[in-house]
Structures are given as C-alpha cells and as structure tokens.
C-alpha cells in the first residue's frame, strides 16, 4: 500500500512540475515530466490494479502528451474499477 501511495505522490509532483514548466514556456521539460508522471502512475496501478486514481491521473498525463489511445485505455480501466467516480468519464 505504501508503494502505491509513493508512486501516486511522485506522479502528482511530476504533474505539478509539468504545469510550471509549461507556464514558463519549457515544452520539452513539460513533456518529459508528463511522461515521468505517466510512468509513476502506471507503476501505482501495476502494484494495485484496482487503484482508480492511478488510472485517472495516468490518463490525464497521457492526454496532455497527445497519446490518446493510451489515455482512453487508462481512463476506461479507472472507470472499470470505480464506475461511480465522475472523473473517469471526463
């Protein structure tokens, strides 16, 4: 459980850093950080396959990278875990 949380927090930190990099006009850095965030969230769901937030945040990172098929797959996996969560449908 701790490792799932650790990877999730790492992913969230990378998303925040990507936001800052984008705001500063550093697209390459933002893309690198988004890819690292997606990897961290992928690890969180590898460790706990029904961890819906990991699927949802991974989908967001992949969407921002333009990796639409993978983003859709991650969002669908999150919805499968937690159909009551609105975030997966957005």
């Amino acid at each position: 459980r701790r490792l799932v949380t650790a990877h999730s927090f790492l992913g969230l930190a990378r998303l925040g850093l990507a936001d800052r990099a984008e705001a500063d006009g550093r697209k390459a850095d933002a893309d690198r950080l988004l890819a690292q965030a997606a990897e961290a969230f992928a690890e969180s769901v590898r460790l706990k396959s029904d961890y819906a937030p990991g699927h949802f945040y991974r989908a967001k990172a992949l969407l921002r990278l333009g990796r639409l098929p993978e983003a859709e797959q991650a969002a669908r996996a999150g919805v499968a875990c937690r159909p009551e969560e609105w975030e997966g449908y957005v």
Side-chain angles (χ1 to χ4, degrees):
R1 174 86 176 137
R2 287 183 189 168
L3 286 177
V4 172
T5 303
H7 286 288
S8 186
F9 281 137
L10 178 60
L12 289 171
R14 298 287 192 211
L15 283 177
L17 291 170
D19 289 342
R20 182 175 294 168
E22 280 182 353
D24 292 343
R26 297 179 292 123
K27 173 115 172 77
D29 288 338
D31 287 348
R32 178 182 49 80
L33 289 160
L34 288 169
Q36 290 172 353
E39 290 173 22
F41 292 122
E43 183 62 16
S44 74
V45 298
R46 187 191 69 75
L47 293 167
K48 187 174 186 319
S49 62
D50 65 343
Y51 182 60
H55 290 293
F56 293 143
Y57 282 111
R58 181 170 183 260
K60 288 180 181 184
L62 292 167
L63 184 63
R64 289 175 60 184
L65 286 167
R67 294 165 52 182
L68 303 182
E70 292 172 89
E72 180 183 3
Q73 183 181 20
R76 288 182 183 276
V79 169
C81 296
R82 299 289 302 269
E84 70 278 6
E85 293 288 330
W86 63 269
E87 200 168 8
Y89 298 99
V90 177

